[in-house]
Amino acid sequence: MSLDNPASAKRPSPFKRMILPEYRDVPLAGATLFDLVKFCGSDRRIDYTTANGNRITCADIAHIASMKRTRIYFSGKNNSIHLDRLSGISRLDIACVGTSTVRIGRTDIVRGATVMAAHRADIAIGSGCMLSRDIMLYASGAHGLYNSSDGERRGSANIQIGDKVWVGQGSRILAGAQVGPGSVIGSYSVLPGKIPNNCAAAGNPCRVTTRDVFWTKEAISGNYFLHLEQSGNPIPAIARLTEVS
């Protein structure tokens, strides 16, 4: 895989050779979002394209602490990473290899996550999600699994995570995974398939354990709807029944 070579560019690149601990065998060029903020000289947003056509955009760079804890990695050409407002980041590593795409909406909390899209894969994470520690999302189109009967490819190289999804500690989200909005993925789950909206799911492989649920960052005793009524707040839109697939 080719990397952007700072020495051959017209001006120095903020990307340097870096090692992503989970993928030490993959040659990567990396930079923190804070490095890119300084390089681009912007106080509002980032929109930077490397010499190899790798593009990184961030719509809101107001939360500097999260910028310092978010690292971007590229290998190959024409990858793209598109971020909304990042806040509450303790550690977030995002890597794109071989013309892949990662899109992440407004974050809520990310304790520790690695997101890797490789070989024309696409990973999309919605807004308001909460990712615990030691989370990994990995999607790759490098190898294929095919039907022996007709030669059709099985599975998907993409991952889709809906809005306001809570992913528990140690979970592994694999190629082909889809999680509907408002759902919860239990700790140390391995998810290669589809979970609908407003579900709790867990296990290896990850399966639905409870339907018709929603979650919030605050934990109260008793009835949450009554709590909202007493505080004069409406029931949130995310409090929905699970759709039957």
Side-chain angles (χ1 to χ4, degrees):
M1 288 293 179
S2 59
L3 302 177
D4 288 285
N5 186 352
S8 64
K10 292 183 179 180
R11 60 171 177 162
S13 168
F15 286 88
K16 312 297 180 184
R17 290 183 181 272
M18 294 178 66
I19 294 175
L20 183 56
E22 293 88 345
Y23 299 94
R24 292 183 176 275
D25 60 321
V26 180
L28 296 168
T32 69
L33 278 183
F34 187 66
D35 292 336
L36 291 167
V37 170
K38 293 189 296 181
F39 185 83
C40 296
S42 173
D43 59 356
R44 291 187 177 182
R45 64 191 302 270
I46 296 170
D47 190 344
Y48 175 70
T49 302
T50 73
N52 280 349
N54 298 312
R55 186 182 181 194
I56 167 70
T57 65
C58 185
D60 186 334
I61 61 173
H63 201 261
I64 294 300
S66 290
M67 301 294 105
K68 292 180 177 179
R69 297 167 183 162
T70 301
R71 289 182 290 271
I72 304 299
Y73 302 84
F74 287 124
S75 183
K77 299 180 179 180
N78 301 321
N79 298 285
S80 60
I81 297 174
H82 304 288
L83 310 174
D84 204 329
R85 186 179 194 274
L86 299 186
S87 62
I89 307 294
S90 295
R91 180 187 67 80
L92 177 59
D93 293 325
I94 306 170
C96 269
V97 175
T99 317
S100 297
T101 301
V102 172
R103 292 166 290 166
I104 301 179
R106 176 186 51 79
T107 62
D108 198 336
I109 295 174
V110 180
R111 298 300 187 197
T114 298
V115 180
M116 165 71 89
H119 307 290
R120 300 184 181 277
D122 182 276
I123 297 177
I125 302 174
S127 294
C129 292
M130 183 165 69
L131 308 183
S132 187
R133 296 170 177 82
D134 188 29
I135 305 298
M136 185 177 294
L137 289 86
Y138 175 71
S140 173
H143 305 289
L145 182 65
Y146 304 90
N147 290 329
S148 297
S149 59
D150 57 12
E152 288 294 324
R153 186 165 186 171
R154 296 173 62 91
S156 169
N158 302 329
I159 293 174
Q160 290 185 316
I161 307 295
D163 293 340
K164 201 169 176 62
V165 168
W166 175 7
V167 181
Q169 179 171 319
S171 294
R172 300 294 185 258
I173 312 298
L174 307 180
Q178 298 180 45
V179 184
S183 286
V184 179
I185 305 301
S187 296
Y188 300 100
S189 294
V190 178
L191 176 60
K194 183 177 181 179
I195 301 297
N197 69 291
N198 294 87
C199 285
N204 181 6
C206 186
R207 292 190 173 95
V208 173
T209 59
T210 307
R211 295 176 180 267
D212 304 327
V213 299
F214 70 99
W215 65 274
T216 71
K217 287 192 295 182
E218 61 175 346
I220 66 164
S221 59
N223 188 294
Y224 192 75
F225 290 164
L226 181 59
H227 163 73
L228 293 173
E229 181 180 347
Q230 292 172 345
S231 58
N233 293 315
I235 295 175
I238 198 65
R240 300 166 48 204
L241 299 180
T242 302
E243 296 178 2
V244 178
S245 56

